[in-house]
Amino acid sequence: MLIDFSKTRQLPAFDICIIGAGPAGITLATKLQSTGRKIGLIEAGGLEFSEKSQSLYRTESVGRNLYAELSRLRYFGGTSNHWSGRCRPFVPEDFKPNHIGDLPGWPITFDEFNHYLPEAMKIVDLPESGFFKTATRPFTGREFESDEHALSPPTRFATKYLQEIQQDANITLVLNCNLVDLAFDPASGAVTQAIVSDYEKKRSAIEAKTFVLAMGAIENSRLLLNSASLMSLAELKAMVGVGFMEHMNVEMGKFILRGESDWDSGGYFTSAAFVEEQHIGRGNVTFGVLQEIKSYGRTAKIKTFLKGLACRMEITEKIQFLQSINCPGQGVITTLLEQAPLKNGSRISLSDQTDFLGLKKARIDWIVSDDDIRTIRTIGKEAAKAFARSGLGLVKLHPYMYNDDEFIPLSPHAHHMGGTRMSATPAGGVVDTNLKVFGTRNLYVAGSSVFPTGGGGNPTMPLLQLALRLSEHLQSTL
Ligand SMILES: Cc1cc2nc3c(=O)[nH]c(=O)nc-3n(C[C@H](O)[C@H](O)[C@H](O)COP(=O)(O)OP(=O)(O)OC[C@H]3O[C@@H](n4cnc5c(N)ncnc54)[C@H](O)[C@@H]3O)c2cc1C
């Protein structure tokens, strides 16, 4: 069933009210549908992109720029409307205590988590055959192995699930309906109502036995922080927004192949032994050969001649302001690296600025800590050595890779994680091992905001694994 909240403000009461219809929320709703319970799926946006909804994703950035408005989509299907579909699962070593950072790691076992991998792979339309290696030529040495990943088509959750949801008598999808507050009753420990608003600022209250926040990592923290009655809980005050993480994309340097004309590119992944020995984050290093510039006809001949001349004379950098030239076999080294979750590291808090619905905007302080810099430099130096040692070619690292005084420029991967971390106790996080918010008896969180560590893979398939696990828990409590 589908309700447009901008036209109908009367909403039924639900058994389970899921707020946010991205991959996490949609997966949870469709899994719970068979329970016969009344499921509400509350979505801020409509079925298409709208500037009005998207503008509510504006944030205040006080650290490195996360591009938080551009890297999320605020309508049915969420950010899966433009995700790339790269999937790499967590590895057993991610679940070791004290893997990285000064906050506690995963409080559940890898097996408990991995149990849901086959079903999560099906949801993102991956073949059962699994993941493929991405390095055409392996490195020698023990620091790196060939990276493994798989590519989802990529699955667009809106396209795949809209019809099923619309036709389902147990699921009510409510569009254009923004969560603005959660009413919490300290005496019973229950969230009693979700206060929602349309775009004309007209509000209603939704009643449900259980509520699940699935609005993406930044909004999950932001909405908790904006809910004054909940934030009166001592358990939450200290930890909501703490331990926020991204994956770091650093251009580490350039390389030139040693006569390997057929070598395309190679993805390498840090070995468990190397990461443990160095006590650093794990992740991927990609050696990508730059595409040659395409030219046709007479200009092709001239360009080929000039390019050859420039490369032989080693003056490409000097003439790059005139023409961008990539010499044959030349490439760049890029990364997807894990950040350390830190008590005083990156954090989501509230800005003094409000959006047009009256909610405080998220203030994002994305930090690259000393631990992260050590991860970047250690991996970069070893990758350069391994590349040369394997006879593949030569690497020229950028000076910031070894010069402590230099600032390391890097970009985010649009992988927002942490802020409502899963933990065994309230001292280390916001949700318990069942994803229930500490201090409450009926409020849960789904999505990568619950990750205590981010690993070196992509977050969407793992967050689906957790959504599947949560659906089982909720079924057992109904
Ligand atoms: C360009 C790009 C490429 C990416 N590529 C990959 C990739 O290759 N692999 C990978 O694993 N990940 C990738 N990601 C990340 C991936 O998109 C996210 O991990 C995933 O979408 C998160 O799912 P989610 O359901 O938790 O949140 P979202 O997809 O962000 O969905 C949240 C939903 O909540 C709704 N919402 C927000 N606020 C409210 C509110 N107040 N009230 C009601 N509803 C609300 C939103 O409208 C949205 O529908 C990529 C991201 C980007 C931007």
Side-chain angles (χ1 to χ4, degrees):
M1 199 193 313
L2 195 151
I3 294 178
D4 184 345
F5 186 61
S6 60
K7 298 189 181 121
T8 312
R9 242 172 301 282
Q10 287 284 349
L11 297 176
F14 300 109
D15 292 309
I16 300 176
C17 177
I18 302 162
I19 300 145
I26 290 177
T27 299
L28 198 54
T30 50
K31 275 303 283 183
L32 288 167
Q33 156 272 333
S34 61
T35 59
R37 302 296 169 135
K38 295 279 164 235
I39 313 296
L41 183 56
I42 311 303
E43 169 53 46
L47 294 178
E48 304 283 340
F49 177 89
S50 89
E51 185 49 50
K52 205 162 200 179
S53 174
Q54 192 65 22
S55 71
L56 292 170
Y57 266 168
R58 283 187 194 137
T59 62
E60 184 191 350
S61 176
V62 293
R64 299 231 189 178
N65 198 343
L66 203 71
Y67 308 101
E69 187 193 345
L70 301 172
S71 58
R72 300 177 290 163
L73 287 175
R74 202 174 183 274
Y75 65 101
F76 180 66
T79 311
S80 77
N81 287 300
H82 73 178
W83 79 311
S84 313
R86 189 182 189 275
C87 298
R88 187 187 207 282
F90 275 100
V91 293
E93 291 77 15
D94 286 315
F95 286 69
K96 281 194 171 174
N98 306 323
H99 150 57
I100 184 175
D102 64 4
L103 286 162
W106 287 90
I108 57 173
T109 65
F110 174 70
D111 290 345
E112 258 180 273
F113 189 91
N114 211 40
H115 172 73
Y116 300 93
L117 181 62
E119 196 174 347
M121 286 171 68
K122 253 191 222 159
I123 293 171
V124 288
D125 303 300
L126 292 184
E128 277 175 30
S129 53
F131 305 90
F132 55 84
K133 292 203 188 304
T134 55
T136 45
R137 284 270 300 268
F139 280 169
T140 55
R142 54 191 280 282
E143 288 82 10
F144 296 91
E145 46 204 44
S146 296
D147 193 11
E148 278 187 272
H149 71 252
L151 290 173
S152 161
T155 303
R156 304 285 175 222
F157 282 70
T159 315
K160 184 170 176 180
Y161 292 103
L162 178 61
Q163 202 182 16
E164 179 183 333
I165 290 172
Q166 266 179 317
Q167 289 172 355
D168 197 307
N170 293 326
I171 305 178
T172 305
L173 169 63
V174 188
L175 296 173
N176 298 310
C177 188
N178 303 282
L179 176 72
V180 291
D181 194 8
L182 292 161
F184 176 67
D185 172 28
S188 63
V191 169
T192 52
Q193 292 177 327
I195 312 300
V196 291
S197 171
D198 69 5
Y199 288 92
E200 307 303 318
K201 299 188 200 173
K202 294 198 182 88
R203 292 188 172 197
S204 291
I206 300 177
E207 297 195 347
K209 292 183 189 137
T210 299
F211 293 89
V212 183
L213 305 183
M215 298 172 288
I218 297 171
E219 299 305 298
N220 284 347
S221 286
R222 178 189 175 208
L223 264 295
L224 285 174
L225 290 166
N226 265 293
S227 299
S229 55
L230 255 176
M231 292 310 290
S232 63
L233 280 171
E235 289 97 323
L236 300 188
K237 263 191 193 140
M239 288 307 291
V240 176
V242 172
F244 181 75
M245 299 163 290
E246 243 286 8
H247 283 128
M248 303 178 287
N249 186 7
V250 186
E251 190 190 296
M252 292 184 150
K254 298 242 156 80
F255 68 90
I256 183 134
L257 291 175
R258 206 190 287 277
E260 291 280 339
S261 56
D262 59 341
W263 199 85
D264 182 7
S265 63
Y268 300 91
F269 199 79
T270 48
S271 72
F274 173 51
V275 165
E276 196 164 332
E277 211 169 82
Q278 299 289 331
H279 201 61
I280 53 174
R282 69 185 85 249
N284 159 292
V285 180
T286 297
F287 287 73
V289 174
L290 293 166
Q291 292 303 309
E292 294 218 28
I293 299 160
K294 298 267 181 290
S295 321
Y296 302 94
R298 250 181 298 177
T299 53
K301 289 205 168 118
I302 296 167
K303 266 194 185 166
T304 307
F305 168 71
L306 286 175
K307 194 172 70 173
L309 189 66
C311 292
R312 275 198 303 279
M313 293 174 72
E314 295 182 357
I315 55 166
T316 52
E317 275 180 25
K318 294 197 177 66
I319 63 165
Q320 250 158 7
F321 70 99
L322 285 175
Q323 168 90 58
S324 172
I325 293 176
N326 305 318
C327 298
Q330 190 175 313
V332 286
I333 311 162
T334 53
T335 66
L336 187 160
L337 297 180
E338 182 180 25
Q339 285 201 290
L342 297 170
K343 260 181 220 138
N344 295 315
S346 301
R347 187 183 188 124
I348 311 286
S349 58
L350 291 183
S351 164
D352 295 331
Q353 305 160 19
T354 51
D355 66 22
F356 67 83
L357 295 180
L359 252 74
K360 287 198 166 166
K361 292 182 182 178
R363 174 186 282 144
I364 304 177
D365 192 2
W366 182 38
I367 284 169
V368 175
S369 67
D370 289 348
D371 290 24
D372 299 331
I373 290 174
R374 216 164 56 75
T375 293
I376 294 167
R377 291 199 171 128
T378 309
I379 291 176
K381 284 178 207 163
E382 283 310 319
K385 283 191 226 161
F387 191 76
R389 197 173 53 226
S390 303
L392 287 164
L394 295 172
V395 171
K396 188 174 178 221
L397 290 175
H398 291 312
Y400 52 74
M401 290 301 297
Y402 46 83
N403 189 345
D404 287 348
D405 300 331
E406 289 206 37
F407 176 82
I408 303 182
L410 52 77
S411 51
H413 270 277
H415 296 167
H416 308 145
M417 299 166 289
T420 70
R421 348 179 50 245
M422 187 202 274
S423 168
T425 68
V430 172
V431 298
D432 67 14
T433 53
N434 289 320
L435 302 182
K436 184 151 66 69
V437 174
F438 286 117
T440 75
R441 63 172 177 78
N442 66 341
L443 178 63
Y444 292 82
V445 181
S448 49
S449 61
V450 305
F451 292 4
T453 60
N458 308 68
T460 307
M461 190 177 57
L463 74 83
L464 297 182
Q465 291 172 250
L466 286 179
L468 294 169
R469 184 172 170 272
L470 176 58
S471 81
E472 272 183 18
H473 172 74
L474 291 177
Q475 285 178 49
S476 73
T477 62
L478 288 172

